[in-house]
Amino acid sequence: MTQNRDFVLAAGGTGGHMVPAAALAAELIRRGHSVALFSDERGVRFPGLFDEIETHILPAGRMGGGPMGWVRAATSIVAGRSMAMGLFRQRHPAAVIGFGGYPALPTLFGAFARHVPTVIHEQNAVLGRVNRLVAGKVDAIATSYPDVERLKPAYRGKTHLIGNPVRESVLTLRTRPYPLLEDDGIFRVLVTGGSQGASILSEVVPDGLALLPISFRRRLQVTHQARVEDIDKVRAKYAELSIAAELATYLPDLPEQLAWAHLVIARAGASTLAELTTAGRPAILVPLPSATDDHQTANAREMASAGGARVIDQRSFTPIELAKQMQKLGLDPAALQNAAARARGCGRPDAARDLADLVESLDAPTSTTMIGAARPIKFGDQAAYA
């Protein structure tokens, strides 16, 4: 029987960090452990993710704004580190797990000072700035992709291909078949730009769908997540084009929307990709060009290479190009179902379980090399096995 222990999760800022942290928390709690979240004010605002979990808000600064901004950020991080160390004296955690982002820094620095075992989880296909900063000091690195840019070969011995944990409500989609698509049946499209929507999708998608052959256009049923400032204009556009569409600024039932979608048009954030590949839903992906280190383009490569998605660079994302890609996918039900299967083949549905195994194993070093042992991790042009 596993000994019950205490774990601290360090995450904050965006849903891309918070969702996998919540999935790990749920798995650890199922195993009888206690879990606490150390975050910032933004991280605790996500509804439903950590409602039942002890949460501590720590000061955390973001590097930027010139020398004065750096000083302010450093001051906040030092204060947060001191607070974390004090909480560690009370909790005695078995391990601290960081999920990237500047809010994780104070907690990880406190763990280093108190000699608490540490793991970092990287959601993207490019190692993030904060994870690059601490990668040399942590005990283990969990990745979501086999090919991770900016990950040094020197860290191969402690790197484990885990995947990106998703919520239980998404994981259950793994058992649901791709929705039946008939030649003349309803064609359901889900458009989502992440937790905040994406204006470029709102600008291009309605006009792109309007260019489809009328027989195809009449079959469309669209659910579109849009920004607050865009939603009225987008709703009016769909009405003008006579395209059946439901609009929302937030989709609390996103897993159910994903379940019935025949095609998803989305950004290429890490959580979006994890959900698409877990559920097995084909997609047209438009990576965010301003994403740090262009990590969304890197995220999309695996799914695109497998044949589960088509990627359109934002500079080329026009109504004409979208309509062209939609017809290639949507007018052949067999091809679309094949793309769904290929997307599903990229999924790593055991990510939460495997990450929990990894953090549990930190006090038993001989077992850690078994986590993800058969899965290749690539470092530049070299390949290693974690």
Side-chain angles (χ1 to χ4, degrees):
M1 180 178 291
T2 302
Q3 179 183 359
N4 294 345
R5 282 169 279 172
D6 182 69
F7 293 96
V8 168
L9 310 185
T14 68
H17 300 308
M18 302 305 293
V19 169
L24 175 63
E27 177 65 21
L28 291 172
I29 290 170
R30 273 195 293 271
R31 298 183 183 200
H33 301 301
S34 60
V35 177
L37 171 70
F38 287 18
S39 187
D40 65 348
E41 292 182 353
R42 291 184 303 159
V44 300
R45 292 176 182 171
F46 289 87
L49 290 183
F50 292 93
D51 292 348
E52 307 299 324
I53 293 174
E54 180 183 337
T55 301
H56 299 274
I57 297 176
L58 275 59
R62 181 179 179 85
M63 301 297 181
M68 291 302 297
W70 301 336
V71 170
R72 286 192 295 269
T75 301
S76 294
I77 291 170
V78 169
R81 171 182 175 273
S82 178
M83 188 181 297
M85 291 173 65
L87 291 167
F88 291 159
R89 283 191 287 270
Q90 300 172 25
R91 302 189 65 90
H92 306 291
V96 169
I97 304 93
F99 287 84
Y102 288 100
L105 272 179
T107 305
L108 288 168
F109 284 166
F112 298 152
R114 295 286 297 173
H115 304 290
V116 178
T118 51
V119 181
I120 53 173
H121 179 269
E122 178 56 59
Q123 298 87 49
N124 294 300
V126 181
L127 198 66
R129 290 176 180 175
V130 166
N131 281 345
R132 292 202 298 267
L133 181 63
V134 300
K137 296 199 68 174
V138 299
D139 297 287
I141 301 169
T143 68
S144 300
Y145 293 91
D147 189 0
V148 180
E149 299 175 19
R150 302 276 184 119
L151 181 59
K152 294 181 179 180
Y155 304 149
R156 68 182 60 179
K158 60 180 180 181
T159 299
H160 308 267
L161 176 56
I162 296 293
N164 195 9
V166 297
R167 295 166 290 176
E168 186 66 31
S169 56
V170 174
L171 195 58
T172 59
L173 300 182
R174 191 82 175 170
T175 63
R176 296 175 63 170
Y178 182 72
L180 179 65
L181 178 60
E182 300 177 350
D183 289 335
D184 57 352
I186 293 174
F187 189 97
R188 299 184 179 92
V189 179
L190 173 63
V191 184
T192 175
S195 60
Q196 299 300 317
S199 290
I200 187 67
L201 301 184
S202 295
E203 293 168 8
V204 172
V205 172
D207 287 334
L209 299 184
L211 296 177
L212 295 171
I214 190 168
S215 58
F216 189 4
R217 192 165 70 241
R218 286 174 174 170
R219 297 168 52 204
L220 295 176
Q221 183 172 313
V222 180
T223 297
H224 189 131
Q225 180 203 9
R227 290 177 179 268
V228 173
E229 60 267 31
D230 297 331
I231 191 166
D232 290 337
K233 180 175 65 175
V234 180
R235 183 180 287 115
K237 187 68 173 178
Y238 278 119
E240 175 190 335
L241 298 170
S242 299
I243 295 175
E246 295 182 3
L247 279 291
T249 58
Y250 177 67
L251 297 173
D253 61 341
L254 181 61
E256 189 59 29
Q257 298 285 353
L258 189 60
W260 59 249
H262 294 110
L263 179 69
V264 179
I265 303 172
R267 287 297 198 189
S271 290
T272 297
L273 270 292
E275 291 172 352
L276 289 171
T277 56
T278 296
R281 294 297 180 269
I284 293 174
L285 302 174
V286 187
L288 176 67
S290 61
T292 305
D293 299 316
D294 197 22
H295 67 253
Q296 288 203 3
T297 297
N299 290 350
R301 286 183 190 133
E302 181 184 37
M303 190 176 173
S305 296
R310 293 174 182 266
V311 180
I312 306 176
D313 182 275
Q314 183 164 307
R315 292 168 297 184
S316 303
F317 186 57
T318 63
I320 292 174
E321 182 62 23
L322 175 61
K324 181 171 68 175
Q325 297 300 334
M326 281 281 296
Q327 289 187 77
K328 288 180 179 178
L329 283 168
L331 294 179
D332 185 348
L336 198 61
Q337 189 151 4
N338 180 56
R342 290 173 179 272
R344 190 178 188 277
C346 296
R348 297 182 175 88
D350 297 327
R353 183 201 68 187
D354 290 348
L355 185 55
D357 287 347
L358 177 61
V359 302
E360 282 184 338
S361 72
L362 285 184
D363 60 348
T366 55
S367 67
T368 61
T369 55
M370 297 304 295
I371 308 297
R375 301 169 180 170
I377 310 290
K378 297 179 183 177
F379 301 86
D381 293 330
Q382 303 179 55
Y385 288 81

